[in-house]
């Protein structure tokens, strides 16, 4: 049986946080032993919304690669590369753009949602509408058949399948129709109780040192009914308890009881959480520090990944051209 080809891309937004580790990054680490993995840094995608300020693009790419490696991705097992190093994607995107009806793009639900959400940026551009076609090219340039996604990304995978079908119908069978693999992410709340996200500024970065982690945990939202140490609390509405479920699962009952019966104060409860999070990231921090001391290492990894991906992409593009007769 052919091995699965698994593809996922990450926009280089800088340092990774706990939300990533328990979400897509955790899945990527699991996948690395289960198929041929293509994990790329989606720098062209980053430009679709952040084309006006590219100051940190390169440093963000470097940070992200090093964070991936420190978290456990092994470049000997997976292909790690940068999207913009693979111009074959761009050419395939062009052919797909020729055959994708405008209506297919306009009905992608995330398009209108994001236009409304990103009202502080001028994203009324050609490629902001067309970026699902670029995603289709990212996926099909390596003939990936599995794409781990969140539920909101499923329409993009459906669009990729439609594009593949249309190409195959017009020019002859070439592309596989990839499957979206739904990821059961553990939702990690940030320090303000909302979903942990860089854009909300409520995150704990994987590289945060223990004093920084402590400071952030101390700011976390608790049960507002616990105004004093003697007030009993409800752990289920406390952001701190939500994270204890992940980091202190062995002590959960005791922590809940201490809260409900006011056996300890929130500061003590938070101290425990901060030390649990800091301990869980100790190995990551050490590895990340070592990697950071090797100048240029991230670029070497991207170069090596590219050398493995490029022959595949070139062959797919050659076959696509042959079928189009171009
Ligand atoms: S004791 Fe802990 S779980 Fe309870 S409200 Fe305070 S911080 Fe939250």
């Amino acid at each position: 049986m052919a091995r699965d080809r698994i593809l996922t891309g990450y926009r280089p937004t800088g340092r990774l946080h706990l939300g990533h580790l328990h979400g897509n990054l955790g899945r990527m680490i699991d996948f690395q032993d289960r198929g041929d993995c293509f994990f790329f840094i989606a720098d062209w995608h980053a430009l679709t919304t952040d084309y006006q300020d590219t100051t940190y693009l390169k440093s963000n790419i470097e940070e992200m690669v090093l964070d991936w490696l420190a978290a456990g991705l092994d470049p000997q097992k997976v292909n790690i590369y940068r999207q913009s190093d693979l111009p074959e994607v761009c050419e395939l995107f062009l052919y797909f753009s020729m055959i994708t009806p405008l209506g297919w793009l306009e009905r992608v639900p995330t398009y209108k949602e994001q236009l409304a959400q990103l009202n502080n940026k001028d994203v009324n551009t050609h490629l902001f509408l067309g970026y699902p076609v670029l995603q289709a090219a990212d996926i099909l340039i390596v003939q990936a058949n599995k794409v781990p996604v969140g539920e909101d990304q499923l329409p993009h995978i459906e669009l990729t399948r439609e594009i593949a079908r249309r190409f195959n119908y017009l020019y002859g069978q070439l592309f596989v129709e990839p499957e979206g693999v739904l990821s059961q992410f553990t939702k990690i709340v940030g320090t303000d109780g909302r979903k942990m996200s860089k854009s909300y500024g409520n995150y704990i970065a994987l590289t945060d040192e223990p004093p920084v982690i402590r400071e952030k945990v101390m700011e976390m939202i608790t049960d507002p009914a616990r105004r004093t140490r003697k007030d009993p609390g409800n752990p289920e509405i406390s952001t701190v308890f939500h994270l204890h479920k992940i980091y202190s699962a062995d002590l959960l009952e005791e922590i809940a009881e201490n809260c409900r019966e006011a056996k300890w104060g929130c500061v003590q409860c938070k101290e425990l959480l901060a030390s649990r999070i800091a301990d869980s990231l100790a190995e990551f921090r050490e590895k990340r520090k070592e990697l950071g001391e090797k100048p240029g290492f991230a670029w070497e990894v991207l170069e090596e990944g590219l050398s493995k991906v490029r022959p595949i992409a070139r062959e797919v593009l050659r076959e696509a051209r042959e079928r189009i007769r171009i």
Side-chain angles (χ1 to χ4, degrees), residues 99-163:
I99 64 169
T100 304
L102 214 46
W104 288 7
L105 295 171
E106 286 165 340
R107 67 165 198 248
V108 171
T110 47
Y111 172 61
K112 288 204 175 103
E113 277 165 33
Q114 288 219 322
L115 260 190
Q117 270 173 23
L118 299 171
N119 54 10
N120 57 340
K121 291 180 183 172
D122 182 6
V123 288
N124 230 326
T125 60
H126 166 216
L127 204 61
F128 188 70
L129 174 67
Y131 84 88
V133 183
L134 183 57
Q135 281 185 332
D138 291 324
I139 297 167
L140 296 176
I141 197 71
V142 294
Q143 298 276 33
N145 64 327
K146 294 247 159 78
V147 185
V149 283
E151 207 150 4
D152 57 331
Q153 291 281 311
L154 277 178
H156 294 193
I157 304 302
E158 193 45 48
L159 186 76
T160 300
R161 294 165 63 86
E162 282 179 294
I163 292 172

Side-chain angles (χ1 to χ4, degrees), residues 220-224 226 232-242 244 255-256 258-260 264-270:
M220 288 182 87
I221 304 205
T222 59
D223 174 1
R226 285 208 81 187
N234 175 2
E236 289 305 333
I237 60 168
S238 166
T239 306
V240 179
F241 190 67
H242 169 87
H244 270 308
I255 294 168
N258 286 349
C259 176
R260 283 196 196 98
W264 68 2
C266 290
V267 171
Q268 227 178 322
C269 183
K270 287 175 170 180

Side-chain angles (χ1 to χ4, degrees), residues 170-305:
L170 289 169
Y171 305 118
Q173 187 65 34
L174 173 60
F175 291 110
V176 296
E177 289 184 33
E179 246 179 76
V181 184
L182 262 189
S183 306
Q184 297 304 322
F185 294 148
T186 309
K187 187 180 160 219
I188 299 288
V189 293
T191 49
D192 59 0
R194 293 185 289 174
K195 182 184 169 201
M196 189 173 283
S197 157
K198 196 150 185 263
S199 46
Y200 295 147
N202 63 359
Y203 63 94
I204 295 175
L206 303 185
T207 43
D208 280 346
E209 292 291 337
V212 179
I213 295 173
R214 185 183 180 279
E215 203 178 305
K216 289 182 176 176
V217 170
M218 286 299 155
E219 285 167 9
M220 288 182 87
I221 304 205
T222 59
D223 174 1
R226 285 208 81 187
R227 276 189 296 270
T228 71
R229 163 86 172 70
K230 288 182 191 151
D231 295 323
N234 175 2
E236 289 305 333
I237 60 168
S238 166
T239 306
V240 179
F241 190 67
H242 169 87
L243 288 179
H244 270 308
K245 285 183 182 169
I246 296 160
Y247 290 97
S248 321
D250 53 324
L251 296 174
L252 215 54
E253 275 179 30
E254 198 182 321
I255 294 168
E257 190 183 307
N258 286 349
C259 176
R260 283 196 196 98
E261 296 176 18
K263 288 186 178 169
W264 68 2
C266 290
V267 171
Q268 227 178 322
C269 183
K270 287 175 170 180
E271 293 281 8
L272 173 66
L273 178 63
S275 72
R276 285 287 177 117
I277 296 175
D279 289 352
S280 78
L281 294 175
E283 202 180 317
F284 172 90
R285 274 195 307 277
E286 200 176 316
K287 208 165 160 201
R288 179 66 181 76
K289 207 165 152 224
E290 275 170 32
L291 292 169
E293 284 161 6
K294 297 182 187 174
F297 185 62
W299 300 103
E300 284 168 28
V301 168
L302 290 172
E303 196 62 44
E304 199 191 318

